[in-house]
Amino acid sequence: MEGGLLLLSSVIFLLQGACGCPETCFCHSSSNFVDCSHQGLAEIPPDLPPEMLTLLLQDNQIHHLPALAFRTVPRLKTLNLSNNSLSELAPEAFHGLQHLQILNLTHNSLLSLERRLFHSLPQLREFAVSSNNISHLPKSLGETWENLTVLAVQQNQLQHLSRELLESMPRVRLLLLQNNLWKCNCHLLGLKLWLEMFIYEGGITDGVICESPDTWKGKDLLKIPHELYQPCPPLPPPEWVSSQAHRPGSEHGEAPKPPEDHSQSQHHVAECEAKPKPRPANLRHAVATVAITGVVCGIVCLTMLGAAIYGFTYAAITAQGHGRPSAQTCQPGKPGEKEPLSSLPA
Ligand SMILES: *[C@@H]1O[C@H](CO)[C@@H](O)[C@H](O)[C@H]1NC(C)=O
Ligand SMILES: *[C@@H]1O[C@H](CO)[C@@H](O)[C@H](O)[C@H]1NC(C)=O
Ligand SMILES: *[C@@H]1O[C@H](CO)[C@@H](O)[C@H](O)[C@H]1NC(C)=O
Ligand SMILES: *[C@@H]1O[C@H](CO)[C@@H](O)[C@H](O)[C@H]1NC(C)=O
């Protein structure tokens, strides 16, 4: 008897729990709709009907979402948390919301969004986090957000938005970006290029108005020509850094070092070879010049010597044959040679 009563009361309690509605909310069972908006709530009401598809929690004072905050309403498709005091979300806050399609977090105090947060929402289509204090979004998601079509991040503190993040949302068609602190330097060039393609393909955006640097303040990112971006400092590739580390050694060390550098990265080789290369080339050139000069001089000298010997012999022979007159013909041309020439036969 007692056991039966206990069973009956617990069944009644369970039925009440399942079909009940939190005191502070209005439940529309026929449309699976719960409206808990504007009730001064500081937390998610604990006893939400599990079959609900829409949960309105806007205009409350909820400041924190713990992990698995919505585990009791796993079928939710629409969740509105707009105009609360959210500054902190547990990374697993939305865990279990496999079917959520619309998430509205506008008008809160969020500072950043973690990558893990996005991972729990595979079916999301519309994601609004406008009017928060977000200064940081993940650089990439690591997986594609296949069904996302609306992303709204206006009215935040964003300076930069990575191209990789946008590339992980291939179906986005509406992108709201205005009123952030966009820093239009080289790092925003990826966003500019992505947006150009996005608009070309029919996407809609409210645009990116630069906040800094002063030269571009108030200008539309898309209207600044590519060439006017200050070049980003080049990111040194790891090999370059390591050869940089070698560099002082090779500078203070002696001659054997440069050949070692040849095995380093192409970039550094090019840089290092620029100086040592001309030297061996010049040296070779000099050696070649000396050799050629030597050979030419040698040939000229030998020719001259041969000519001299020939002339000498010829003169001697003619002197022997004709006597004085031949010696006299030689006299004006080579006065020094005349003496031995004439003295030889004497
Ligand atoms: C935000 O919610 C508060 C109540 O918490 C309400 O007084 C205020 O009007 C709401 N603001 C907007 C913009 O709806
Ligand atoms: C969320 O709540 C706001 C009011 O704060 C309302 O304007 C907006 O339409 C709601 N969005 C959805 C999807 O219910
Ligand atoms: C979110 O709520 C705001 C009002 O607070 C509304 O203007 C906006 O359209 C809503 N966005 C989505 C995606 O529901
Ligand atoms: C995207 O939406 C379609 C249609 O609703 C659905 O079949 C698909 O599973 C969704 N993609 C993901 C990753 O959930």
Side-chain angles (χ1 to χ4, degrees):
M1 189 66 181
E2 261 184 29
L5 265 176
L6 196 70
L7 187 69
L8 188 67
S9 61
S10 58
V11 164
I12 288 166
F13 176 79
L14 275 173
L15 281 173
Q16 259 185 341
C19 303
C21 188
E23 266 178 35
T24 45
C25 305
F26 300 97
C27 298
H28 307 266
S29 303
S30 54
S31 51
N32 290 334
F33 179 98
V34 191
D35 185 355
C36 314
S37 63
H38 219 308
Q39 298 296 319
L41 298 173
E43 290 178 349
I44 312 289
D47 42 4
L48 293 165
E51 69 277 13
M52 292 296 127
L53 303 180
T54 299
L55 175 56
L56 303 183
L57 285 165
Q58 67 263 34
D59 309 328
N60 284 295
Q61 275 107 49
I62 301 167
H63 53 87
H64 172 68
L65 290 183
L68 302 165
F70 303 95
R71 67 183 178 284
T72 56
V73 279
R75 297 174 64 199
L76 276 190
K77 288 190 170 177
T78 301
L79 175 57
N80 198 342
L81 282 160
S82 176
N83 190 27
N84 276 275
S85 316
L86 290 170
S87 58
E88 230 189 306
L89 303 175
E92 286 89 19
F94 301 108
H95 226 266
L97 294 179
Q98 289 292 315
H99 308 288
L100 199 68
Q101 295 181 352
I102 298 171
L103 176 56
N104 196 330
L105 290 168
T106 56
H107 294 281
N108 278 284
S109 310
L110 299 169
L111 299 173
S112 68
L113 295 174
E114 260 198 67
R115 205 165 141 167
R116 270 184 291 172
L117 198 78
F118 302 91
H119 285 179
S120 1
L121 302 166
Q123 301 246 11
L124 209 64
R125 287 157 191 228
E126 297 183 18
F127 184 46
V129 283
S130 305
S131 303
N132 278 273
N133 298 318
I134 297 170
S135 60
H136 173 81
L137 287 175
K139 275 211 157 61
S140 68
L141 293 181
E143 59 187 54
T144 56
W145 231 2
E146 217 183 280
N147 286 335
L148 197 79
T149 54
V150 177
L151 177 66
V153 294
Q154 324 97 297
Q155 212 91 45
N156 276 290
Q157 317 275 317
L158 291 169
Q159 293 194 330
H160 179 241
L161 189 59
S162 95
R163 187 179 181 160
E164 292 74 44
L165 182 68
L166 294 168
E167 278 169 355
S168 54
M169 307 167 186
R171 298 231 179 116
V172 160
R173 279 291 151 264
L174 177 62
L175 186 59
L176 302 175
L177 301 169
Q178 236 164 40
N179 294 317
N180 277 282
L181 302 176
W182 301 116
K183 196 171 182 176
C184 294
N185 61 11
C186 63
H187 296 293
L188 221 54
L189 191 57
L191 175 63
K192 178 180 163 70
L193 296 173
W194 187 90
L195 280 175
E196 282 172 358
M197 188 52 79
F198 175 70
I199 291 165
Y200 176 77
E201 289 172 353
I204 295 167
T205 179
D206 57 355
V208 171
I209 305 299
C210 306
E211 182 62 28
S212 69
D214 284 345
T215 16
W216 303 128
K217 195 175 158 78
K219 292 255 164 51
D220 186 338
L221 175 74
L222 289 171
K223 293 194 176 128
I224 303 173
H226 294 140
E227 315 85 62
L228 296 184
Y229 282 88
Q230 303 219 327
C232 279
L235 289 172
E239 326 91 85
W240 193 76
V241 172
S242 73
S243 62
Q244 272 279 80
H246 280 267
R247 215 177 168 187
S250 67
E251 261 172 16
H252 296 296
E254 347 79 292
K257 279 271 173 172
E260 220 175 278
D261 277 350
H262 282 268
S263 62
Q264 300 289 335
S265 80
Q266 296 283 345
H267 180 81
H268 190 50
V269 165
E271 206 180 60
C272 278
E273 276 187 350
K275 282 176 189 175
K277 217 179 186 175
R279 230 183 271 167
N282 278 346
L283 202 76
R284 249 177 271 140
H285 186 76
V287 167
T289 310
V290 167
I292 289 166
T293 312
V295 167
V296 169
C297 280
I299 291 168
V300 169
C301 288
L302 282 173
T303 313
M304 282 170 76
L305 188 66
I309 290 167
Y310 180 79
F312 193 89
T313 318
Y314 185 76
I317 291 164
T318 45
Q320 257 184 343
H322 301 278
R324 290 281 159 188
S326 109
Q328 268 171 347
T329 47
C330 285
Q331 207 174 10
K334 292 165 185 178
E337 272 179 27
K338 192 204 142 186
E339 236 170 52
L341 197 72
S342 50
S343 66
L344 192 73

